[in-house]
PDB file of all heavy atoms in Angstrom:
ATOM      1  N   LYS A   3     -37.138  19.476  14.281  1.00 62.00           N
ATOM      2  CA  LYS A   3     -37.781  19.088  13.031  1.00 62.00           C
ATOM      3  C   LYS A   3     -36.718  18.912  11.949  1.00 62.00           C
ATOM      4  O   LYS A   3     -36.703  17.944  11.210  1.00 62.00           O
ATOM      5  CB  LYS A   3     -38.836  20.102  12.591  1.00 62.00           C
ATOM      6  CG  LYS A   3     -39.559  19.690  11.347  1.00 62.00           C
ATOM      7  CD  LYS A   3     -40.610  20.698  10.915  1.00 62.00           C
ATOM      8  CE  LYS A   3     -41.296  20.176   9.652  1.00 62.00           C
ATOM      9  NZ  LYS A   3     -41.912  21.242   8.902  1.00 62.00           N
ATOM     10  N   ARG A   4     -35.740  19.877  11.870  1.00 66.00           N
ATOM     11  CA  ARG A   4     -34.702  19.771  10.918  1.00 66.00           C
ATOM     12  C   ARG A   4     -33.785  18.607  11.167  1.00 66.00           C
ATOM     13  O   ARG A   4     -33.353  17.924  10.246  1.00 66.00           O
ATOM     14  CB  ARG A   4     -33.827  21.094  10.868  1.00 66.00           C
ATOM     15  CG  ARG A   4     -34.422  22.162   9.968  1.00 66.00           C
ATOM     16  CD  ARG A   4     -33.397  23.241   9.745  1.00 66.00           C
ATOM     17  NE  ARG A   4     -32.894  23.679  11.005  1.00 66.00           N
ATOM     18  CZ  ARG A   4     -32.641  24.894  11.343  1.00 66.00           C
ATOM     19  NH1 ARG A   4     -32.723  25.835  10.455  1.00 66.00           N
ATOM     20  NH2 ARG A   4     -32.135  25.214  12.523  1.00 66.00           N
ATOM     21  N   MET A   5     -33.494  18.323  12.433  1.00 62.00           N
ATOM     22  CA  MET A   5     -32.712  17.190  12.800  1.00 62.00           C
ATOM     23  C   MET A   5     -33.393  15.884  12.373  1.00 62.00           C
ATOM     24  O   MET A   5     -32.785  14.958  11.843  1.00 62.00           O
ATOM     25  CB  MET A   5     -32.391  17.140  14.251  1.00 62.00           C
ATOM     26  CG  MET A   5     -31.221  18.036  14.634  1.00 62.00           C
ATOM     27  SD  MET A   5     -30.844  17.970  16.386  1.00 62.00           S
ATOM     28  CE  MET A   5     -30.504  16.280  16.657  1.00 62.00           C
ATOM     29  N   GLY A   6     -34.732  15.810  12.630  1.00 68.00           N
ATOM     30  CA  GLY A   6     -35.503  14.644  12.259  1.00 68.00           C
ATOM     31  C   GLY A   6     -35.481  14.423  10.792  1.00 68.00           C
ATOM     32  O   GLY A   6     -35.370  13.294  10.308  1.00 68.00           O
ATOM     33  N   GLU A   7     -35.563  15.535   9.997  1.00 76.00           N
ATOM     34  CA  GLU A   7     -35.509  15.440   8.542  1.00 76.00           C
ATOM     35  C   GLU A   7     -34.162  14.869   8.070  1.00 76.00           C
ATOM     36  O   GLU A   7     -34.090  14.105   7.208  1.00 76.00           O
ATOM     37  CB  GLU A   7     -35.857  16.800   7.902  1.00 76.00           C
ATOM     38  CG  GLU A   7     -37.279  17.205   8.034  1.00 76.00           C
ATOM     39  CD  GLU A   7     -37.536  18.650   7.676  1.00 76.00           C
ATOM     40  OE1 GLU A   7     -36.579  19.344   7.326  1.00 76.00           O
ATOM     41  OE2 GLU A   7     -38.709  19.045   7.725  1.00 76.00           O
ATOM     42  N   ALA A   8     -33.082  15.405   8.736  1.00 74.00           N
ATOM     43  CA  ALA A   8     -31.759  14.964   8.372  1.00 74.00           C
ATOM     44  C   ALA A   8     -31.576  13.458   8.655  1.00 74.00           C
ATOM     45  O   ALA A   8     -31.008  12.737   7.822  1.00 74.00           O
ATOM     46  CB  ALA A   8     -30.709  15.791   9.139  1.00 74.00           C
ATOM     47  N   VAL A   9     -32.022  13.008   9.800  1.00 78.00           N
ATOM     48  CA  VAL A   9     -31.939  11.580  10.154  1.00 78.00           C
ATOM     49  C   VAL A   9     -32.740  10.761   9.150  1.00 78.00           C
ATOM     50  O   VAL A   9     -32.247   9.708   8.688  1.00 78.00           O
ATOM     51  CB  VAL A   9     -32.423  11.335  11.608  1.00 78.00           C
ATOM     52  CG1 VAL A   9     -32.561   9.876  11.868  1.00 78.00           C
ATOM     53  CG2 VAL A   9     -31.437  11.989  12.582  1.00 78.00           C
ATOM     54  N   ALA A  10     -33.939  11.205   8.799  1.00 82.00           N
ATOM     55  CA  ALA A  10     -34.749  10.482   7.872  1.00 82.00           C
ATOM     56  C   ALA A  10     -34.091  10.409   6.488  1.00 82.00           C
ATOM     57  O   ALA A  10     -34.145   9.423   5.802  1.00 82.00           O
ATOM     58  CB  ALA A  10     -36.139  11.178   7.730  1.00 82.00           C
ATOM     59  N   ARG A  11     -33.405  11.489   6.058  1.00 84.00           N
ATOM     60  CA  ARG A  11     -32.734  11.517   4.782  1.00 84.00           C
ATOM     61  C   ARG A  11     -31.568  10.504   4.769  1.00 84.00           C
ATOM     62  O   ARG A  11     -31.423   9.738   3.837  1.00 84.00           O
ATOM     63  CB  ARG A  11     -32.184  12.952   4.468  1.00 84.00           C
ATOM     64  CG  ARG A  11     -31.609  13.046   3.081  1.00 84.00           C
ATOM     65  CD  ARG A  11     -31.272  14.495   2.637  1.00 84.00           C
ATOM     66  NE  ARG A  11     -30.314  15.142   3.557  1.00 84.00           N
ATOM     67  CZ  ARG A  11     -30.634  16.233   4.315  1.00 84.00           C
ATOM     68  NH1 ARG A  11     -31.847  16.731   4.224  1.00 84.00           N
ATOM     69  NH2 ARG A  11     -29.738  16.781   5.028  1.00 84.00           N
ATOM     70  N   VAL A  12     -30.779  10.451   5.850  1.00 86.00           N
ATOM     71  CA  VAL A  12     -29.736   9.488   5.998  1.00 86.00           C
ATOM     72  C   VAL A  12     -30.236   8.063   5.902  1.00 86.00           C
ATOM     73  O   VAL A  12     -29.777   7.221   5.191  1.00 86.00           O
ATOM     74  CB  VAL A  12     -28.867   9.734   7.263  1.00 86.00           C
ATOM     75  CG1 VAL A  12     -27.935   8.541   7.475  1.00 86.00           C
ATOM     76  CG2 VAL A  12     -28.083  11.016   7.152  1.00 86.00           C
ATOM     77  N   ALA A  13     -31.318   7.822   6.647  1.00 85.00           N
ATOM     78  CA  ALA A  13     -31.940   6.477   6.718  1.00 85.00           C
ATOM     79  C   ALA A  13     -32.424   6.050   5.321  1.00 85.00           C
ATOM     80  O   ALA A  13     -32.213   4.931   4.880  1.00 85.00           O
ATOM     81  CB  ALA A  13     -33.055   6.435   7.718  1.00 85.00           C
ATOM     82  N   ARG A  14     -33.047   7.016   4.604  1.00 89.00           N
ATOM     83  CA  ARG A  14     -33.510   6.725   3.255  1.00 89.00           C
ATOM     84  C   ARG A  14     -32.343   6.355   2.325  1.00 89.00           C
ATOM     85  O   ARG A  14     -32.468   5.349   1.591  1.00 89.00           O
ATOM     86  CB  ARG A  14     -34.235   7.946   2.647  1.00 89.00           C
ATOM     87  CG  ARG A  14     -35.727   7.808   2.568  1.00 89.00           C
ATOM     88  CD  ARG A  14     -36.400   8.893   1.726  1.00 89.00           C
ATOM     89  NE  ARG A  14     -35.853  10.236   1.844  1.00 89.00           N
ATOM     90  CZ  ARG A  14     -36.118  11.125   2.835  1.00 89.00           C
ATOM     91  NH1 ARG A  14     -36.924  10.763   3.843  1.00 89.00           N
ATOM     92  NH2 ARG A  14     -35.556  12.299   2.839  1.00 89.00           N
ATOM     93  N   LYS A  15     -31.254   7.089   2.374  1.00 87.00           N
ATOM     94  CA  LYS A  15     -30.102   6.831   1.510  1.00 87.00           C
ATOM     95  C   LYS A  15     -29.512   5.495   1.858  1.00 87.00           C
ATOM     96  O   LYS A  15     -29.107   4.756   0.988  1.00 87.00           O
ATOM     97  CB  LYS A  15     -29.114   7.935   1.657  1.00 87.00           C
ATOM     98  CG  LYS A  15     -29.549   9.242   1.025  1.00 87.00           C
ATOM     99  CD  LYS A  15     -28.539  10.354   1.206  1.00 87.00           C
ATOM    100  CE  LYS A  15     -28.922  11.577   0.397  1.00 87.00           C
ATOM    101  NZ  LYS A  15     -27.798  12.429   0.083  1.00 87.00           N
ATOM    102  N   VAL A  16     -29.398   5.147   3.155  1.00 89.00           N
ATOM    103  CA  VAL A  16     -28.854   3.857   3.577  1.00 89.00           C
ATOM    104  C   VAL A  16     -29.734   2.747   3.070  1.00 89.00           C
ATOM    105  O   VAL A  16     -29.265   1.737   2.498  1.00 89.00           O
ATOM    106  CB  VAL A  16     -28.659   3.796   5.046  1.00 89.00           C
ATOM    107  CG1 VAL A  16     -28.334   2.399   5.523  1.00 89.00           C
ATOM    108  CG2 VAL A  16     -27.510   4.750   5.475  1.00 89.00           C
ATOM    109  N   ASN A  17     -31.080   2.881   3.284  1.00 85.00           N
ATOM    110  CA  ASN A  17     -32.033   1.891   2.858  1.00 85.00           C
ATOM    111  C   ASN A  17     -31.981   1.661   1.339  1.00 85.00           C
ATOM    112  O   ASN A  17     -32.000   0.521   0.849  1.00 85.00           O
ATOM    113  CB  ASN A  17     -33.421   2.226   3.263  1.00 85.00           C
ATOM    114  CG  ASN A  17     -33.632   2.023   4.773  1.00 85.00           C
ATOM    115  OD1 ASN A  17     -32.903   1.263   5.417  1.00 85.00           O
ATOM    116  ND2 ASN A  17     -34.614   2.694   5.343  1.00 85.00           N
ATOM    117  N   ASP A  18     -31.857   2.734   0.557  1.00 87.00           N
ATOM    118  CA  ASP A  18     -31.743   2.621  -0.897  1.00 87.00           C
ATOM    119  C   ASP A  18     -30.559   1.760  -1.287  1.00 87.00           C
ATOM    120  O   ASP A  18     -30.625   0.963  -2.137  1.00 87.00           O
ATOM    121  CB  ASP A  18     -31.635   4.004  -1.567  1.00 87.00           C
ATOM    122  CG  ASP A  18     -32.979   4.723  -1.613  1.00 87.00           C
ATOM    123  OD1 ASP A  18     -34.023   4.083  -1.285  1.00 87.00           O
ATOM    124  OD2 ASP A  18     -32.969   5.958  -1.836  1.00 87.00           O
ATOM    125  N   THR A  19     -29.376   2.074  -0.615  1.00 87.00           N
ATOM    126  CA  THR A  19     -28.216   1.363  -0.904  1.00 87.00           C
ATOM    127  C   THR A  19     -28.345  -0.129  -0.624  1.00 87.00           C
ATOM    128  O   THR A  19     -27.981  -1.000  -1.405  1.00 87.00           O
ATOM    129  CB  THR A  19     -26.998   1.963  -0.137  1.00 87.00           C
ATOM    130  OG1 THR A  19     -26.794   3.314  -0.554  1.00 87.00           O
ATOM    131  CG2 THR A  19     -25.708   1.151  -0.356  1.00 87.00           C
ATOM    132  N   LEU A  27     -22.532   4.624  -1.536  1.00 96.00           N
ATOM    133  CA  LEU A  27     -23.299   5.212  -0.514  1.00 96.00           C
ATOM    134  C   LEU A  27     -23.007   6.726  -0.490  1.00 96.00           C
ATOM    135  O   LEU A  27     -21.864   7.103  -0.311  1.00 96.00           O
ATOM    136  CB  LEU A  27     -22.914   4.610   0.836  1.00 96.00           C
ATOM    137  CG  LEU A  27     -23.599   5.208   2.107  1.00 96.00           C
ATOM    138  CD1 LEU A  27     -25.077   5.004   2.060  1.00 96.00           C
ATOM    139  CD2 LEU A  27     -23.024   4.618   3.349  1.00 96.00           C
ATOM    140  N   ASP A  28     -24.048   7.496  -0.751  1.00 96.00           N
ATOM    141  CA  ASP A  28     -23.854   8.938  -0.809  1.00 96.00           C
ATOM    142  C   ASP A  28     -24.512   9.573   0.378  1.00 96.00           C
ATOM    143  O   ASP A  28     -25.756   9.694   0.461  1.00 96.00           O
ATOM    144  CB  ASP A  28     -24.481   9.496  -2.128  1.00 96.00           C
ATOM    145  CG  ASP A  28     -24.244  10.974  -2.279  1.00 96.00           C
ATOM    146  OD1 ASP A  28     -23.666  11.618  -1.351  1.00 96.00           O
ATOM    147  OD2 ASP A  28     -24.640  11.502  -3.325  1.00 96.00           O
ATOM    148  N   LEU A  29     -23.722  10.000   1.307  1.00 96.00           N
ATOM    149  CA  LEU A  29     -24.194  10.739   2.517  1.00 96.00           C
ATOM    150  C   LEU A  29     -23.644  12.149   2.550  1.00 96.00           C
ATOM    151  O   LEU A  29     -23.411  12.710   3.597  1.00 96.00           O
ATOM    152  CB  LEU A  29     -23.877   9.972   3.808  1.00 96.00           C
ATOM    153  CG  LEU A  29     -24.516   8.585   3.954  1.00 96.00           C
ATOM    154  CD1 LEU A  29     -24.037   7.911   5.241  1.00 96.00           C
ATOM    155  CD2 LEU A  29     -26.020   8.691   3.951  1.00 96.00           C
ATOM    156  N   ALA A  30     -23.463  12.707   1.348  1.00 96.00           N
ATOM    157  CA  ALA A  30     -22.970  14.087   1.314  1.00 96.00           C
ATOM    158  C   ALA A  30     -24.084  15.027   1.758  1.00 96.00           C
ATOM    159  O   ALA A  30     -25.258  14.724   1.568  1.00 96.00           O
ATOM    160  CB  ALA A  30     -22.569  14.401  -0.187  1.00 96.00           C
ATOM    161  N   ASN A  31     -23.618  16.158   2.268  1.00 95.00           N
ATOM    162  CA  ASN A  31     -24.603  17.240   2.658  1.00 95.00           C
ATOM    163  C   ASN A  31     -25.620  16.781   3.686  1.00 95.00           C
ATOM    164  O   ASN A  31     -26.784  17.175   3.550  1.00 95.00           O
ATOM    165  CB  ASN A  31     -25.241  17.823   1.434  1.00 95.00           C
ATOM    166  CG  ASN A  31     -24.242  18.336   0.476  1.00 95.00           C
ATOM    167  OD1 ASN A  31     -23.430  19.222   0.750  1.00 95.00           O
ATOM    168  ND2 ASN A  31     -24.252  17.762  -0.764  1.00 95.00           N
ATOM    169  N   CYS A  32     -25.281  15.948   4.582  1.00 93.00           N
ATOM    170  CA  CYS A  32     -26.276  15.424   5.577  1.00 93.00           C
ATOM    171  C   CYS A  32     -26.070  15.989   6.955  1.00 93.00           C
ATOM    172  O   CYS A  32     -26.651  15.534   7.982  1.00 93.00           O
ATOM    173  CB  CYS A  32     -26.226  13.918   5.636  1.00 93.00           C
ATOM    174  SG  CYS A  32     -26.926  13.120   4.190  1.00 93.00           S
ATOM    175  N   LYS A  33     -25.144  16.941   7.144  1.00 91.00           N
ATOM    176  CA  LYS A  33     -24.833  17.581   8.430  1.00 91.00           C
ATOM    177  C   LYS A  33     -24.325  16.572   9.456  1.00 91.00           C
ATOM    178  O   LYS A  33     -24.574  16.758  10.661  1.00 91.00           O
ATOM    179  CB  LYS A  33     -26.085  18.319   8.926  1.00 91.00           C
ATOM    180  CG  LYS A  33     -26.532  19.469   8.070  1.00 91.00           C
ATOM    181  CD  LYS A  33     -27.710  20.212   8.656  1.00 91.00           C
ATOM    182  CE  LYS A  33     -28.054  21.467   7.928  1.00 91.00           C
ATOM    183  NZ  LYS A  33     -28.526  21.253   6.560  1.00 91.00           N
ATOM    184  N   LEU A  34     -23.649  15.502   9.057  1.00 94.00           N
ATOM    185  CA  LEU A  34     -23.146  14.522   9.932  1.00 94.00           C
ATOM    186  C   LEU A  34     -21.929  15.003  10.702  1.00 94.00           C
ATOM    187  O   LEU A  34     -21.021  15.588  10.076  1.00 94.00           O
ATOM    188  CB  LEU A  34     -22.735  13.231   9.195  1.00 94.00           C
ATOM    189  CG  LEU A  34     -23.865  12.528   8.462  1.00 94.00           C
ATOM    190  CD1 LEU A  34     -23.263  11.376   7.635  1.00 94.00           C
ATOM    191  CD2 LEU A  34     -24.867  11.951   9.474  1.00 94.00           C
ATOM    192  N   ILE A  41     -25.507   2.695  11.152  1.00 91.00           N
ATOM    193  CA  ILE A  41     -25.344   2.349   9.749  1.00 91.00           C
ATOM    194  C   ILE A  41     -24.567   1.079   9.577  1.00 91.00           C
ATOM    195  O   ILE A  41     -24.808   0.229   8.728  1.00 91.00           O
ATOM    196  CB  ILE A  41     -24.693   3.494   8.987  1.00 91.00           C
ATOM    197  CG1 ILE A  41     -25.662   4.665   8.876  1.00 91.00           C
ATOM    198  CG2 ILE A  41     -24.254   3.072   7.562  1.00 91.00           C
ATOM    199  CD1 ILE A  41     -25.165   5.899   8.194  1.00 91.00           C
ATOM    200  N   ASN A  59     -19.024  17.460   2.430  1.00 98.00           N
ATOM    201  CA  ASN A  59     -19.754  18.589   2.972  1.00 98.00           C
ATOM    202  C   ASN A  59     -20.661  18.263   4.194  1.00 98.00           C
ATOM    203  O   ASN A  59     -21.826  18.556   4.217  1.00 98.00           O
ATOM    204  CB  ASN A  59     -20.654  19.202   1.815  1.00 98.00           C
ATOM    205  CG  ASN A  59     -19.802  19.577   0.657  1.00 98.00           C
ATOM    206  OD1 ASN A  59     -18.764  20.198   0.818  1.00 98.00           O
ATOM    207  ND2 ASN A  59     -20.202  19.170  -0.550  1.00 98.00           N
ATOM    208  N   ASN A  60     -20.040  17.588   5.135  1.00 96.00           N
ATOM    209  CA  ASN A  60     -20.649  17.341   6.418  1.00 96.00           C
ATOM    210  C   ASN A  60     -19.881  18.114   7.508  1.00 96.00           C
ATOM    211  O   ASN A  60     -19.198  19.115   7.129  1.00 96.00           O
ATOM    212  CB  ASN A  60     -20.634  15.855   6.659  1.00 96.00           C
ATOM    213  CG  ASN A  60     -21.803  15.123   5.986  1.00 96.00           C
ATOM    214  OD1 ASN A  60     -22.982  15.317   6.239  1.00 96.00           O
ATOM    215  ND2 ASN A  60     -21.446  14.273   5.014  1.00 96.00           N
TER     216      ASN A  60
END
Side-chain angles (χ1 to χ4, degrees):
K3 183 179 180 202
R4 274 194 308 218
M5 279 181 59
E7 289 169 357
V9 169
R11 186 170 59 243
V12 168
R14 253 192 324 276
K15 290 181 173 201
V16 169
N17 286 338
D18 285 348
T19 298
L27 175 62
D28 183 357
L29 295 178
N31 304 300
C32 287
K33 296 182 173 64
L34 297 174
I41 291 178
N59 305 314
N60 280 292

